[in-house]
Amino acid sequence: MYHGRTTGKGPSTPMQIYQQPPRLLILHISLPSWADICSNLCEALQNFFSLACSLMGPSRMSLFSLYMVQNQHECILPFVQVKGNFARLQACISELRMLQREGCFRPQGTSLQLAVEDGLQQFQQYSRHMATGAALTYTSLEITVLTSQPGKEVVKQLEEGLKDTDLVRVRRLQVVEITKGALECMDSASPIEEPSNDENSFLGTDIDLQTMDNDVVSMEIFFKAWLHNSGTDQEHIHLLLPSQSFSNISRVRDDSMCLKCDLQERLLSPSLLPGTADGSLKMDDPKGDFSTLYQMASQSSASYYKLRVIKALKSSGICESITYGLPFILRPTSCWQLDWDELETNQQHFHALCHSLLVSICVPR
């Protein structure tokens, strides 16, 4: 597979890791359920932030804020920088552990809505304050609601309560229902049936509904996904395929089909962990090593890789000794700069390629 890098016009810029957007976490958990969830959630958060705050290289997580919604909404932690701020985040987790676990109350129907609005307002104020000193690398906010209530009811509550709220600065609104026990038929943090687009389109943003098991491992997996690259400002790879069959691939170079793809990280590089030998030397390695994490999943907004398929091989004919580096998943792009028709066509072509490869048991090279 031939590969090359294509950049836009203008001076080249150093490639940097895509910085995840600021995150607002809202805990919407009633008192009876909080007693069962508290210890698992606090341990998962502490383990996650001990990693996120100490990762080497560019920051993978910018800002974080935490709200608690029980009988009323309360800001436990205003927006703070994550990297190098473990002491502040640990103090916040300690405060969570001391919250009331027993008793009863009458939940206020508007508390969750007010928490979202208050958190969004805080983010806008923080952005205005920081903009006076330096250019912001983030302009939108991701909001995650962890709830012990039925997820579909919470989604409907948010749809109704936020229909008059300006959510233009919200990049994603996510509701995660914490289940009481392990689900045998469903993976952790797996999506469940969501409302139709007609039901939630009036918000201007779709509400993502998921479930998550009430155990430390499932919660850690969910939080660690925040560290993986998920930028949609630019597609990562253009995969150039001949419009004819693979057998004619060596003769066809100009008449090619372009699949626009994103790379999804599966593992964090061990060199990012503190204490790794020579880890600092690997972070900014300018070599065009195709297996390097920062060279692949973290493109600058003006560049992407072009890969031209030159041959189709039987998967049984590939020796594992020639595969190395960190694993990635290639997916059809979700770049917001492309129109819907192009995204849909690109996705159809991508799935057609996958089907063709499965039928022939081949891999492109």
Side-chain angles (χ1 to χ4, degrees):
M1 184 178 287
Y2 169 80
H3 65 86
R5 184 179 169 198
T6 300
T7 59
K9 296 180 180 180
S12 60
T13 56
M15 296 191 8
Q16 298 178 349
I17 190 73
Y18 171 81
Q19 190 176 67
Q20 294 282 34
R23 295 189 180 275
L24 169 61
L25 178 62
I26 301 176
L27 305 181
H28 179 248
I29 302 174
S30 59
L31 283 181
S33 300
W34 179 242
D36 298 325
I37 295 173
C38 176
S39 59
N40 290 337
L41 177 61
C42 290
E43 183 177 350
L45 283 172
Q46 180 155 329
N47 293 342
F48 166 71
F49 283 118
S50 66
L51 174 65
C53 294
S54 59
L55 284 176
M56 302 172 65
S59 175
R60 283 178 168 262
M61 189 173 176
S62 53
L63 302 175
F64 178 76
S65 179
L66 178 65
Y67 276 73
M68 185 72 177
V69 176
Q70 288 184 334
N71 58 334
Q72 59 184 5
H73 74 282
E74 178 184 1
C75 180
I76 305 295
L77 180 72
F79 282 100
V80 296
Q81 295 285 344
V82 172
K83 188 170 183 179
N85 212 1
F86 182 64
R88 180 83 181 274
L89 292 162
Q90 189 176 35
C92 166
I93 295 170
S94 298
E95 185 175 347
L96 279 181
R97 295 183 188 274
M98 294 186 293
L99 290 178
Q100 180 181 356
R101 299 194 185 193
E102 298 179 356
C104 60
F105 61 87
R106 293 182 178 179
Q108 302 295 322
T110 59
S111 296
L112 181 57
Q113 167 198 340
L114 293 174
V116 172
E117 293 174 343
D118 190 46
L120 184 57
Q121 183 179 15
Q122 277 206 36
F123 172 66
Q124 293 171 337
Q125 292 174 348
Y126 185 96
S127 299
R128 285 194 296 266
H129 173 71
M130 293 300 296
T132 59
L136 286 175
T137 58
Y138 38 80
T139 58
S140 59
L141 176 68
E142 287 207 7
I143 301 175
T144 299
V145 178
L146 292 187
T147 181
S148 60
Q149 306 298 319
K152 292 182 180 179
E153 294 182 9
V154 175
V155 168
K156 291 180 180 179
Q157 181 181 340
L158 287 172
E159 288 174 355
E160 182 63 28
L162 298 174
K163 61 183 178 181
D164 297 323
T165 303
D166 183 8
L167 299 178
V168 68
R169 301 292 295 274
V170 178
R171 175 181 170 181
R172 186 186 187 194
L173 180 55
Q174 180 183 42
V175 173
V176 181
E177 178 185 345
I178 301 177
T179 59
K180 295 182 179 179
L183 297 181
E184 297 179 359
C185 59
M186 190 176 299
D187 293 333
S188 299
S190 59
I192 62 177
E193 182 182 352
E194 300 179 11
S196 65
N197 291 335
D198 293 339
E199 293 178 3
N200 55 23
S201 59
F202 65 83
L203 285 180
T205 182
D206 290 340
I207 299 180
D208 180 21
L209 178 58
Q210 297 184 353
T211 61
M212 178 169 63
D213 294 341
N214 181 20
D215 63 78
V216 175
V217 174
S218 297
M219 292 179 179
E220 278 192 40
I221 291 174
F222 175 81
F223 292 133
K224 287 176 182 177
W226 290 354
L227 301 176
H228 289 303
N229 174 43
S230 61
T232 59
D233 292 339
Q234 171 74 51
E235 62 270 22
H236 300 152
I237 283 180
H238 284 187
L239 190 62
L240 302 179
L241 300 169
S243 58
Q244 301 180 26
S245 64
F246 279 114
S247 61
N248 298 326
I249 201 165
S250 60
R251 290 175 285 170
V252 180
R253 293 193 59 85
D254 297 326
D255 187 16
S256 58
M257 176 187 296
C258 177
L259 292 182
K260 298 181 179 180
C261 306
D262 294 337
L263 285 171
Q264 179 181 339
E265 295 178 282
R266 300 304 297 162
L267 296 173
L268 291 176
S269 172
S271 63
L272 294 172
L273 301 177
T276 305
D278 298 328
S280 59
L281 299 178
K282 300 177 183 178
M283 292 302 98
D284 301 314
D285 185 2
K287 299 177 184 178
D289 185 352
F290 205 60
S291 65
T292 303
L293 176 65
Y294 288 167
Q295 299 293 331
M296 288 295 294
S298 313
Q299 307 299 322
S300 68
S301 60
S303 68
Y304 54 83
Y305 276 93
K306 275 189 175 181
L307 302 181
R308 185 181 297 276
V309 178
I310 60 175
K311 187 179 295 184
L313 298 177
K314 292 289 185 181
S315 56
S316 59
I318 296 184
C319 179
E320 293 185 3
S321 64
I322 66 172
T323 61
Y324 63 96
L326 296 170
F328 292 89
I329 293 179
L330 198 65
R331 308 181 67 175
T333 187
S334 55
C335 176
W336 62 268
Q337 300 187 60
L338 304 180
D339 59 54
W340 285 109
D341 289 340
E342 183 176 2
L343 284 172
E344 184 176 4
T345 300
N346 185 74
Q347 187 176 54
Q348 291 173 351
H349 289 165
F350 184 91
H351 290 315
L353 171 63
C354 293
H355 176 73
S356 176
L357 293 175
L358 286 173
V359 170
S360 59
I361 321 180
C362 290
V363 293
R365 180 176 182 270

